[in-house]
Amino acid sequence: MVNYPKEHAKISVYDHGLLYGDGIYEGMRCYSGYVFQMNEHLERLMKSAKSLRIEIPYNKQEIGEFVLETLRKNRLNNAYIRLLVTRGIGAIGPDPRSCKRPSLIIIVEDLPNVHGTDALTKGISMAIVSIRRDAIDATSHEIKSLNYLNSIQTKMESIQYNADDAILLDSRGFISESPICNIFIYSNGEIATPHSGNGILLGITRQNVIEIAKEMGLSVVQRDITPYELINADEVFITGTHAEIVGVTKVNNIEIGSGCVGEITKQIMSRFRERTLNPKFGTPIEKQFV
């Protein structure tokens, strides 16, 4: 494994990850010397690889140790980790058979919440955009792939609306997700979130929120959610590794609930923060990954 500083990092222009977005990735976070739920992230990486028939030349334990070693070499106890596996270097043309060996890339950087630190207390605005989430029988977003054109298009549209982020609908008109986050609503004592049939990624943070909400005694359902239901929810929040948990205060310039980050959202955020700092849910940097 070769360690490059940011300004000298390199990849072949013939790598199919660059040429065709042919690859997968995982985003992880390290909190106070522990990589949060690394095993769950690596399990999802392997499932994505299987779905795209990418034969990674390392097992889960070896990749985990590469991640820990990268953190150690960069002396980072708190970091965002971007782990990428591309199809590898091959000939120009989409035929994957020309790629003989996948490329493994690990990026570690101390990055804040993707929406900015103020978003954790003030919340964000979102806009329901015209572009639909790719259908589950097309470029399924259950695979965490490098192909993010669908998400980039939606982000560009939300910027035109002066919103902090976008909300995509699925092919049937139900709520799907944001470009990089899962969506939750809270109304009348129930937490609801879209299901896999809505074209979403089954997020690691999403699963933590489901578990936390159940611990709080809340009813949690995964189902179709209409735009009307979302706009009229008591609370809305989004979840993701890079975003963590962020309250949504406006959708399409319509205030959600009181127009502030909701109390249930705040409680879930607090309990999630406790999890990220609990060694039970993390892998220590200073020990070998097993």
Side-chain angles (χ1 to χ4, degrees), residues 54-225:
I54 296 176
E55 296 183 6
I56 303 176
Y58 308 104
N59 62 35
K60 188 174 67 173
Q61 287 69 32
E62 290 171 321
I63 296 172
E65 186 53 37
F66 291 154
V67 171
L68 298 179
E69 181 61 23
T70 304
L71 289 165
R72 288 193 287 262
K73 284 187 175 182
N74 287 275
R75 299 181 180 179
L76 288 171
N77 286 321
N78 294 281
Y80 176 77
I81 304 154
R82 178 61 64 94
L83 171 62
L84 306 93
V85 179
T86 76
R87 183 79 62 180
I89 298 170
I92 291 180
D95 190 337
R97 291 174 295 180
S98 68
C99 303
K100 302 306 180 184
R101 182 181 176 86
S103 301
L104 175 66
I105 302 164
I106 302 171
I107 302 169
V108 293
E109 190 172 353
D110 188 3
L111 292 179
N113 180 293
V114 70
H115 296 100
T117 53
D118 286 349
L120 297 176
T121 55
K122 296 181 180 179
I124 62 170
S125 64
M126 301 189 77
I128 299 174
V129 296
S130 62
I131 297 167
R132 299 296 178 96
R133 185 48 106 198
D134 292 333
I136 58 174
D137 57 352
T139 52
S140 173
H141 288 264
E142 288 183 275
I143 300 171
K144 199 168 178 65
S145 80
L146 298 182
N147 181 351
Y148 255 61
L149 186 57
N150 186 230
S151 292
I152 292 167
Q153 288 177 301
T154 64
K155 183 65 178 179
M156 291 170 66
E157 187 173 338
S158 70
I159 291 170
Q160 290 180 325
Y161 297 150
N162 293 318
D164 296 315
D165 212 339
I167 295 172
L168 294 92
L169 305 181
D170 68 15
S171 59
R172 299 172 299 140
F174 293 105
I175 300 298
S176 180
E177 58 185 357
S178 90
I180 63 169
C181 292
N182 294 120
I183 297 174
F184 286 81
I185 67 171
Y186 170 74
S187 290
N188 302 318
E190 177 188 86
I191 293 278
T193 189
H195 55 81
S196 59
N198 298 122
I200 68 166
L201 173 75
L202 296 175
I204 305 296
T205 309
R206 173 183 181 272
Q207 182 58 37
N208 275 272
V209 166
I210 290 172
E211 293 170 6
I212 289 168
K214 289 180 179 179
E215 290 172 0
M216 294 169 59
L218 297 169
S219 171
V220 182
V221 293
Q222 301 177 49
R223 59 174 174 80
D224 291 337
I225 299 171

Side-chain angles (χ1 to χ4, degrees), residues 245-262:
I245 301 174
V246 179
V248 179
T249 57
K250 285 185 179 181
V251 174
N252 291 0
N253 274 331
I254 301 172
E255 285 192 349
I256 301 298
S258 63
C260 301
V261 178

